[in-house]
Amino acid sequence: MAATDKRAEARPLPPTTGATERSASPRRHAPAGTPASQVRALPSLVRRRALRSPGLRAAYAHERAAQPQARRGDVALALGVTEGELIAAHAGLFQPALSSLSARHLLPQWRRIAAALPALGVVRSITGNRWCRLENTSAAQELTRRCEQAAGDAPACTCLADAAAAGAWAHGFAIEERGADGRVERSLQFFDLYGQSVAEVVLLEGSRVEAFLDIVESFSSWQLAPGLVIPVKKPAAAPRRMAVAAFDSAVAGEGGTATRLPNASTHQVLAGAAHSGVPLTLRVESRGGRLSRSGALQDVRLDGPWLHARGAGHGLRLRADAIAQTWLLRRPTPNGTRHALVLLDAAGEPIASISAETDAEGSERGEWRSLLSQLAAQA
């Protein structure tokens, strides 16, 4: 539920005097020192905003009215733009009646912004790639604490501050969206160089709205911040470390195997694990790094093309129709064979991997092995 605050209602995202949409010029707002030829070759979000913002805002308002529960990423996909472009179209000055969504550009001071997040209190963090998102509800300060504890274990690191320091964030926005019931949802969302979302921090009931507004006032501008230039060429392939390492260890490793399974197996695995109470580790790889969540699932369901899995304070949202390949990997270890499900998209890029938490002795649970054995026998 979105955070609300009477003080916040009287204190909306503050405008910058004199900022107008017409003043947005790609040459004027390119990073200092950018060659003129590069400015011409690389269209910026501002140029696209100047040319397409009114149409995008109108299209988004139409889709939002028709599908109030639709997620912004799904609407952007339907409109043929990235979610970053959609948000950028709502940054600037326009009549509030034209759209329920408004945004402010965040300055590229990512480490300082990440350091300010703990003041928000309890939030929902959303990380991952465009096909799979991991959600976690916790105190914002725990995001940093987890990273410090897992500093030597990259697959387990879920710290937003690490992603900011590693340069995974290229664009950021402070966002407010008013629902049909009048409630305002506030969030901070961060995108890679190509406008794909890599992290989002959503305020909940009880989150500190004043801290959010302080971040907006300290780190935002109506004008384009340096670095908001999107290359014309298609984005480079997402990192393939997870898939490559998994296949190397399973196939090239002694006794390792990889078995192709039907793509519907993912739903069966998640539902079966939830029914038997087996805690899982869900890993997602994106340009923001490798992210993971662990714990038992309590509810697994399909909602259109999306597969939702929920646990206590965490969850997974997976685009089931984006799964092109599903592999069951078996890898020998001193504590017995480990099993993992690896999901790939049509380009062969990793979407996610699913494995089970081990017991106190470091061995897999029998329920997990039994579930996967049944699936392998049906393949």
Side-chain angles (χ1 to χ4, degrees):
M1 186 177 295
T4 58
D5 190 299
K6 291 183 179 179
R7 293 171 297 174
E9 294 298 329
R11 185 184 168 197
L13 295 183
T16 299
T17 58
T20 64
E21 205 166 76
R22 288 187 179 179
S23 68
S25 161
R27 181 183 296 276
R28 177 178 176 180
H29 293 287
T34 303
S37 59
Q38 186 178 0
V39 174
R40 288 194 295 270
L42 302 180
S44 68
L45 281 176
V46 162
R47 178 189 294 177
R48 296 185 185 191
R49 189 181 74 196
L51 295 176
R52 305 172 61 184
S53 289
L56 270 180
R57 286 198 295 268
Y60 180 75
H62 176 77
E63 291 292 329
R64 178 58 79 203
Q67 304 180 66
Q69 303 303 317
R71 296 181 182 274
R72 286 195 299 265
D74 291 341
V75 175
L77 188 64
L79 295 177
V81 297
T82 66
E83 190 174 358
E85 289 178 279
L86 179 64
I87 298 300
H90 291 79
L93 299 179
F94 59 89
Q95 292 296 324
L98 297 177
S99 179
S100 60
L101 179 67
S102 63
R104 289 282 298 269
H105 291 285
L106 294 176
L107 300 171
Q109 300 177 20
W110 309 131
R111 294 191 187 194
R112 294 181 60 194
I113 292 173
L117 295 179
L120 296 174
V122 177
V123 297
R124 181 171 71 249
S125 62
I126 305 173
T127 52
N129 55 53
R130 64 174 176 165
W131 304 129
C132 186
R133 313 292 287 171
L134 296 179
E135 299 186 3
N136 191 60
T137 300
S138 65
Q141 64 183 13
E142 291 186 16
L143 297 172
T144 300
R145 184 177 302 125
R146 274 200 193 98
C147 181
E148 290 170 351
Q149 292 174 348
D153 185 8
C157 188
T158 59
C159 178
L160 296 185
D162 258 16
W169 297 354
H171 315 300
F173 297 90
I175 302 167
E176 286 189 343
E177 183 162 18
R178 189 175 299 276
D181 59 358
R183 290 182 177 273
V184 176
E185 180 177 275
R186 297 177 171 89
S187 62
L188 301 171
Q189 192 165 6
F190 306 93
F191 299 86
D192 67 13
L193 184 62
Y194 304 96
Q196 299 292 343
S197 178
V198 294
E200 184 176 8
V201 178
V202 182
L203 274 66
L204 305 173
E205 193 72 39
S207 298
R208 299 178 187 133
V209 179
E210 285 292 322
F212 169 83
L213 295 173
D214 287 341
I215 290 174
V216 172
E217 292 181 350
S218 299
F219 301 107
S220 74
S221 170
W222 287 115
Q223 301 292 339
L224 246 194
L228 287 176
V229 174
I230 294 183
V232 173
K233 67 178 184 179
K234 294 182 179 180
R240 305 182 72 169
R241 294 187 302 271
M242 180 174 68
V244 171
F247 277 101
D248 284 349
S249 62
V251 179
E254 183 179 352
T257 61
T259 303
R260 183 82 177 263
L261 297 180
N263 293 331
S265 300
T266 304
H267 189 188
Q268 295 175 265
V269 165
L270 294 175
H275 178 74
S276 60
V278 176
L280 299 180
T281 296
L282 310 171
R283 289 187 174 88
V284 175
E285 188 142 349
S286 73
R287 294 183 181 88
R290 191 182 303 178
L291 310 159
S292 70
R293 295 285 186 268
S294 298
L297 299 176
Q298 300 167 350
D299 176 57
V300 178
R301 60 183 174 84
L302 272 172
D303 182 11
W306 289 99
L307 178 58
H308 297 266
R310 296 284 179 186
H314 72 282
L316 170 143
R317 190 168 75 248
L318 171 68
R319 183 92 184 196
D321 59 355
I323 303 173
Q325 299 179 49
T326 302
W327 292 89
L328 171 59
L329 306 181
R330 302 179 182 88
R331 178 171 58 90
T333 73
N335 293 318
T337 302
R338 298 280 181 85
H339 300 75
L341 217 61
V342 171
L343 315 177
L344 307 178
D345 65 15
E349 301 297 334
I351 297 175
S353 75
I354 306 169
S355 58
E357 289 188 17
T358 58
D359 59 23
E361 298 178 355
S363 302
E364 280 188 338
R365 298 171 184 268
E367 301 94 330
W368 174 247
R369 292 197 301 270
S370 176
L371 175 60
L372 295 181
S373 296
Q374 293 175 19
L375 290 175
Q378 297 170 9

